[in-house]
Amino acid sequence: MRFTKMHGLGNDYIFLNCLEGGPADLPGLARRLSDRHFGVGGDGIICVCPSDRADFKMRMFNADGSEGAMCGNGIRCFGKYVWDKGLADSAHLTIETLAGERDLSLMLRERRVYAAVVDMGVPAVGQPLELAAGGMRWTAVPVSMGNPHAVVEADDPAALDLAALGPEMECAPAFPRGVNVEFIRVLNRRELQMRVWERGSGETLACGTGACACVAAMASAGKLEREAVVRLAGGDLTVRWDEKSGHMFMTGPAATVFDGELAD
């Protein structure tokens, strides 16, 4: 079975072509391949599957084997994968996900994809609530981007011990199915800093849906413009929240690391 390792701002996934069928135990395969010491290494696996209502269907499994509804960095890489492998002949794609259909516009350089713009849909911003972690109380803004997020403002996200705080917040009683947690600092009206603890994967270098959730939360609170740059450990994403349609558009890079073949 051949695979391709890809990443969007360091948020890395192992891509499998499942258009003609795939492995039976995808959760188990995700756990095995994601191991950075005994496997390929990644934040999870993404399967390219057929769809009866879109160009392709994306299935994403986190490093712990749980299936995710949507992945912003992963879907940009998905678009690059199907284009570079000759599976798509249009730079405009519709991808079916568990969070609904998402439209992609691929950005090309010498006929190869280097970035993509993704219509991330309409965010649902909830009322602030309190979470307990690390012996402290934190104010979090719940946001759904088709998957759940908790946006937490912090004076210095880089100084936080996410390995201690992340697991507590991910499993907070307010989120019985778990939650992705973003720790952020608004730098100015068009820029924010973000660290993320992803449900099922732990701390990652970037999270596309999380970046959109942060812009939605802060723009709703009047602390940020509707278009902003989100600065993550792996690089920058640009997020624009269209006032007329209510849709969020995320722009960011996608890169191939290497192709490989599994021995068994």
Short mmCIF file of all heavy atoms in Angstrom, two decimals, residues 124-130 139-145 148-152 174-175 179-180 213 217:
data_model
loop_
_atom_site.label_atom_id
_atom_site.label_comp_id
_atom_site.label_asym_id
_atom_site.label_seq_id
_atom_site.Cartn_x
_atom_site.Cartn_y
_atom_site.Cartn_z
N ALA A 124 -20.36 28.84 14.02
CA ALA A 124 -21.40 29.02 15.04
C ALA A 124 -20.70 29.39 16.34
O ALA A 124 -20.01 28.55 16.94
CB ALA A 124 -22.23 27.75 15.22
N VAL A 125 -20.84 30.64 16.76
CA VAL A 125 -20.16 31.15 17.95
C VAL A 125 -21.13 31.12 19.12
O VAL A 125 -22.23 31.67 19.05
CB VAL A 125 -19.64 32.58 17.72
CG1 VAL A 125 -18.91 33.10 18.96
CG2 VAL A 125 -18.73 32.63 16.49
N GLY A 126 -20.71 30.47 20.20
CA GLY A 126 -21.56 30.36 21.38
C GLY A 126 -21.23 31.39 22.44
O GLY A 126 -20.37 32.25 22.27
N GLN A 127 -21.91 31.29 23.57
CA GLN A 127 -21.68 32.19 24.69
C GLN A 127 -20.47 31.72 25.50
O GLN A 127 -20.25 30.52 25.66
CB GLN A 127 -22.91 32.24 25.60
CG GLN A 127 -24.13 32.88 24.96
CD GLN A 127 -23.88 34.33 24.58
OE1 GLN A 127 -23.35 35.11 25.38
NE2 GLN A 127 -24.25 34.70 23.36
N PRO A 128 -19.66 32.66 26.01
CA PRO A 128 -18.49 32.28 26.81
C PRO A 128 -18.87 31.42 28.01
O PRO A 128 -19.96 31.58 28.58
CB PRO A 128 -17.92 33.63 27.27
CG PRO A 128 -18.40 34.61 26.24
CD PRO A 128 -19.77 34.11 25.84
N LEU A 129 -17.99 30.50 28.35
CA LEU A 129 -18.20 29.64 29.51
C LEU A 129 -16.87 29.46 30.22
O LEU A 129 -15.82 29.83 29.71
CB LEU A 129 -18.80 28.29 29.09
CG LEU A 129 -18.12 27.52 27.94
CD1 LEU A 129 -16.91 26.74 28.42
CD2 LEU A 129 -19.12 26.60 27.26
N GLU A 130 -16.92 28.90 31.43
CA GLU A 130 -15.71 28.71 32.21
C GLU A 130 -15.25 27.27 32.17
O GLU A 130 -16.07 26.34 32.25
CB GLU A 130 -15.93 29.15 33.67
CG GLU A 130 -15.91 30.66 33.87
CD GLU A 130 -15.70 31.04 35.33
OE1 GLU A 130 -15.85 30.16 36.21
OE2 GLU A 130 -15.38 32.21 35.60
N THR A 139 -11.76 31.43 30.80
CA THR A 139 -12.94 31.77 30.01
C THR A 139 -12.72 31.30 28.58
O THR A 139 -11.70 31.62 27.96
CB THR A 139 -13.20 33.28 30.03
OG1 THR A 139 -13.44 33.71 31.37
CG2 THR A 139 -14.42 33.62 29.17
N ALA A 140 -13.66 30.52 28.08
CA ALA A 140 -13.54 29.95 26.73
C ALA A 140 -14.78 30.32 25.91
O ALA A 140 -15.90 30.34 26.43
CB ALA A 140 -13.40 28.44 26.79
N VAL A 141 -14.55 30.61 24.63
CA VAL A 141 -15.66 30.86 23.71
C VAL A 141 -15.83 29.63 22.84
O VAL A 141 -14.92 29.27 22.08
CB VAL A 141 -15.38 32.09 22.82
CG1 VAL A 141 -16.54 32.32 21.85
CG2 VAL A 141 -15.14 33.33 23.67
N PRO A 142 -16.96 28.94 22.93
CA PRO A 142 -17.19 27.77 22.09
C PRO A 142 -17.54 28.18 20.66
O PRO A 142 -18.35 29.09 20.45
CB PRO A 142 -18.36 27.05 22.76
CG PRO A 142 -19.09 28.12 23.49
CD PRO A 142 -18.08 29.17 23.87
N VAL A 143 -16.91 27.54 19.70
CA VAL A 143 -17.17 27.81 18.28
C VAL A 143 -17.21 26.48 17.54
O VAL A 143 -16.34 25.63 17.73
CB VAL A 143 -16.07 28.70 17.65
CG1 VAL A 143 -16.39 28.99 16.18
CG2 VAL A 143 -15.90 30.01 18.42
N SER A 144 -18.21 26.31 16.70
CA SER A 144 -18.27 25.13 15.85
C SER A 144 -17.89 25.52 14.42
O SER A 144 -18.45 26.45 13.85
CB SER A 144 -19.67 24.51 15.85
OG SER A 144 -19.72 23.45 14.90
N MET A 145 -16.92 24.78 13.87
CA MET A 145 -16.57 24.91 12.46
C MET A 145 -16.89 23.59 11.75
O MET A 145 -16.24 23.20 10.80
CB MET A 145 -15.09 25.24 12.31
CG MET A 145 -14.67 26.60 12.80
SD MET A 145 -15.49 27.98 11.93
CE MET A 145 -15.16 27.62 10.22
N PRO A 148 -15.78 20.88 17.05
CA PRO A 148 -15.89 21.78 18.20
C PRO A 148 -14.57 22.43 18.59
O PRO A 148 -13.51 21.80 18.59
CB PRO A 148 -16.38 20.84 19.31
CG PRO A 148 -15.78 19.51 18.96
CD PRO A 148 -15.76 19.45 17.45
N HIS A 149 -14.65 23.71 18.97
CA HIS A 149 -13.48 24.45 19.41
C HIS A 149 -13.82 25.25 20.66
O HIS A 149 -14.96 25.67 20.86
CB HIS A 149 -13.00 25.41 18.32
CG HIS A 149 -12.51 24.72 17.10
ND1 HIS A 149 -11.19 24.36 16.93
CD2 HIS A 149 -13.16 24.29 16.00
CE1 HIS A 149 -11.05 23.75 15.77
NE2 HIS A 149 -12.23 23.69 15.18
N ALA A 150 -12.79 25.47 21.49
CA ALA A 150 -12.88 26.35 22.65
C ALA A 150 -11.75 27.35 22.54
O ALA A 150 -10.57 26.97 22.58
CB ALA A 150 -12.79 25.57 23.95
N VAL A 151 -12.08 28.62 22.36
CA VAL A 151 -11.08 29.68 22.15
C VAL A 151 -10.83 30.37 23.49
O VAL A 151 -11.75 30.92 24.10
CB VAL A 151 -11.56 30.68 21.10
CG1 VAL A 151 -10.53 31.79 20.91
CG2 VAL A 151 -11.84 29.97 19.77
N VAL A 152 -9.57 30.36 23.93
CA VAL A 152 -9.19 30.87 25.24
C VAL A 152 -8.14 31.96 25.07
O VAL A 152 -7.08 31.73 24.48
CB VAL A 152 -8.61 29.74 26.13
CG1 VAL A 152 -8.22 30.29 27.50
CG2 VAL A 152 -9.62 28.60 26.28
N ALA A 174 -18.15 20.29 29.83
CA ALA A 174 -18.97 21.09 28.90
C ALA A 174 -18.91 20.55 27.48
O ALA A 174 -19.76 20.88 26.65
CB ALA A 174 -18.50 22.54 28.92
N PHE A 175 -17.89 19.72 27.20
CA PHE A 175 -17.73 19.15 25.86
C PHE A 175 -17.63 17.63 25.98
O PHE A 175 -16.53 17.06 25.97
CB PHE A 175 -16.47 19.71 25.18
CG PHE A 175 -16.48 21.21 25.05
CD1 PHE A 175 -15.84 22.01 25.99
CD2 PHE A 175 -17.13 21.82 23.99
CE1 PHE A 175 -15.85 23.38 25.86
CE2 PHE A 175 -17.15 23.19 23.86
CZ PHE A 175 -16.51 23.98 24.81
N VAL A 179 -13.01 18.43 22.75
CA VAL A 179 -12.96 19.71 22.06
C VAL A 179 -11.52 20.06 21.70
O VAL A 179 -10.57 19.65 22.37
CB VAL A 179 -13.57 20.82 22.96
CG1 VAL A 179 -12.69 21.12 24.17
CG2 VAL A 179 -13.85 22.09 22.17
N ASN A 180 -11.35 20.79 20.61
CA ASN A 180 -10.07 21.37 20.25
C ASN A 180 -9.94 22.69 21.00
O ASN A 180 -10.89 23.48 21.04
CB ASN A 180 -10.00 21.64 18.75
CG ASN A 180 -10.25 20.39 17.92
OD1 ASN A 180 -9.41 19.51 17.83
ND2 ASN A 180 -11.43 20.30 17.32
N ALA A 213 -11.98 29.44 13.87
CA ALA A 213 -12.75 29.58 15.10
C ALA A 213 -12.27 30.79 15.91
O ALA A 213 -13.08 31.54 16.46
CB ALA A 213 -12.63 28.31 15.94
N ALA A 217 -14.48 34.04 16.88
CA ALA A 217 -14.71 34.40 18.28
C ALA A 217 -14.30 35.84 18.56
O ALA A 217 -15.03 36.61 19.20
CB ALA A 217 -13.96 33.44 19.20
#
